[in-house]
Amino acid sequence: MNKLLNELGTRPFSAAEYADIVRLYTPETAAALAARADAVRRTHYGNAIFIRGLIEIGNICKNNCLYCGIRRDNAACDRYRLTDEQILACCEEGYALGFRTFVLQGGEDSAFSDARLCALIAAIKAAHPDCAVTLSLGERSHDSYAALRQAGADRYLLRHETADATHYAALHPADMSFDNRMACLQDLRALGYQVGCGFMVGSPEQTAETLGKDLKFIEEFQPEMCGIGPFIPHAATVFADQPAGDVGLTCYLLSVIRLICPRVLLPATTALGTLAEDGRERGIRAGANVVMPNLSPPDVRGKYELYNHKLSTGAESAQQVADLAKRLAAIDYVVVTDRGDYKKEG
Ligand code: SAH
């Protein structure tokens, strides 16, 4: 195999070398890297697949990200906000189904104030002391992140979206800042969260160079979690007519990330499962070890529409986790009831 591919994960690469890695993608190189990534994952986590119950707490958002279906300007979006009682009921149900991590995700909505979220996190922790709470609520202030951490939040997912400032500006309106997003990730890290970054594969204007920068950033930041899924257009956005990202390239990049961050918790995302019937299994075989089934109240699932045709049924539904476990057992992986924390070195 190519020398650069062989050296992947054995030494730091430059962004230009990572861009070359991206250009080397073929079905053959993808298969070879997937085998290596699977072996690396097995050394650290065996064949365990960690599950997270994803609760989409609201789709009201002050931001206007050009790719996102719940962007502020989408007047056709049917907006909702869950009550604390609804969110706690989701956790209760998820606990009985075997979930030990709850992910609270939503738009940037000032109604979810620090006071409200802190009380909610404390209530979840009091009801389920053996569970981890992960937040994915976008950009907040350092003090806000500190308060939420103090209240008991363990992890925070904030995809960096792209590590190239020009590309960032092509995906976001002028009032959003690349520097602020990156600063948020540093704040979260400094506050002791397990931190997740990530990006979409095939977003408009993405190139091998911008992906090379994403991989370099990930190599240096060493996130505890990393969310990578294909871009999928939403009809009510600026990018309605853009093509979706590629499933094979997404899986290849999952393998690359597993090799450069051996212990990272890497989800096979809903977007991957939405684009290909076997997307989830392909992601896991490529090195992913997390799935995040939907634990939101069934009547709001269709409303949290980041992109068109987003799956929330079948193996994407928390209620079907037994079916998911069966599907994964068929390819020799075991869904575990465990917080599934990041394994620190040593
Ligand atoms: N408001 C939170 C949560 C965002 S939704 C935040 O800002 O972090 C979670 C992720 O969905 C986003 O980070 C983005 O990468 C992804 N996403 C949004 N629109 C998408 C689309 N059209 N296709 C694929 N993924 C998308």
Side-chain angles (χ1 to χ4, degrees):
M1 223 206 306
N2 178 288
K3 180 165 181 285
L4 203 60
L5 280 172
N6 281 330
E7 288 177 2
L8 184 63
T10 67
R11 62 167 174 89
F13 275 11
S14 66
E17 285 176 314
Y18 282 124
D20 284 339
I21 290 284
V22 173
R23 290 186 197 96
L24 285 167
Y25 162 66
T26 64
E28 292 70 36
T29 56
L33 283 196
R36 277 173 60 194
D38 188 51
V40 166
R41 176 261 312 282
R42 281 174 197 265
T43 13
H44 299 296
Y45 295 102
N47 63 351
I49 302 297
F50 303 108
I51 50 172
R52 321 304 194 187
L54 179 64
I55 307 171
E56 296 156 338
I57 66 171
N59 65 359
I60 297 169
C61 192
K62 71 176 167 69
N63 288 332
N64 220 7
C65 304
L66 275 59
Y67 45 83
C68 185
I70 65 168
R71 64 201 305 265
R72 182 182 69 224
D73 282 358
N74 180 7
C77 177
D78 186 2
R79 306 285 171 174
Y80 74 93
R81 183 186 291 134
L82 297 185
T83 64
D84 291 359
E85 291 66 35
Q86 283 178 301
I87 296 168
L88 287 163
C90 291
C91 296
E92 200 60 46
E93 185 180 1
Y95 192 89
L97 289 164
F99 290 89
R100 294 296 177 268
T101 291
F102 303 113
V103 181
L104 274 45
Q105 189 178 83
E108 290 191 23
D109 173 5
S110 57
F112 286 108
S113 63
D114 291 347
R116 177 168 172 196
L117 284 173
C118 286
L120 178 61
I121 294 162
I124 296 173
K125 284 289 192 166
H128 307 292
D130 53 339
C131 291
V133 171
T134 304
L135 303 177
S136 179
L137 300 170
E139 297 172 31
R140 304 176 71 97
S141 68
H142 177 276
D143 288 356
S144 171
Y145 289 147
L148 302 176
R149 173 95 184 104
Q150 186 70 34
D154 302 278
R155 312 184 186 132
Y156 205 104
L157 302 174
L158 185 75
R159 291 186 177 182
H160 64 287
E161 310 297 358
T162 170
D164 179 282
T166 307
H167 185 214
Y168 189 92
L171 298 178
H172 298 95
D175 64 353
M176 288 183 73
S177 138
F178 172 74
D179 290 342
N180 190 59
R181 199 151 185 100
M182 287 301 194
C184 284
L185 285 169
Q186 300 297 340
D187 286 347
L188 290 163
R189 165 68 48 88
L191 287 163
Y193 284 92
Q194 294 175 45
V195 184
C197 62
F199 59 89
M200 295 175 284
V201 178
S203 62
E205 296 193 36
Q206 185 174 68
T207 62
E209 282 76 28
T210 65
L211 283 170
K213 289 187 182 180
D214 288 319
L215 295 170
K216 183 64 192 172
F217 170 68
I218 288 165
E219 175 210 286
E220 288 180 338
F221 188 67
Q222 288 289 317
E224 283 82 14
M225 305 164 288
C226 192
I228 311 290
F231 162 76
I232 305 176
H234 186 293
T237 65
V238 182
F239 296 144
D241 297 325
Q242 297 287 323
D246 185 82
V247 170
L249 178 61
T250 304
C251 291
Y252 178 74
L253 292 168
L254 287 171
S255 301
V256 172
I257 291 164
R258 170 65 60 201
L259 293 172
I260 62 184
C261 300
R263 296 157 191 266
V264 72
L265 291 158
L266 199 56
T269 57
T270 304
L272 195 57
T274 296
L275 272 194
E277 211 280 318
D278 60 347
R280 209 172 301 99
E281 283 87 346
R282 286 171 66 183
I284 286 169
R285 285 192 154 123
N289 62 343
V290 173
V291 276
M292 300 169 60
N294 197 312
L295 188 54
S296 308
D299 63 306
V300 305
R301 286 186 192 176
K303 299 180 187 174
Y304 196 79
E305 195 188 37
L306 304 175
Y307 44 83
N308 289 141
H309 314 298
K310 180 168 157 277
L311 272 196
S312 59
T313 56
E316 286 299 329
S317 168
Q319 284 73 16
Q320 309 297 316
V321 69
D323 286 348
L324 174 72
K326 243 185 252 163
R327 280 174 69 154
L328 298 185
I331 57 167
D332 189 31
Y333 295 93
V334 181
V335 168
V336 295
T337 294
D338 189 303
R339 276 174 52 121
D341 283 297
Y342 182 76
K343 279 206 176 124
K344 292 202 187 76
E345 226 148 319

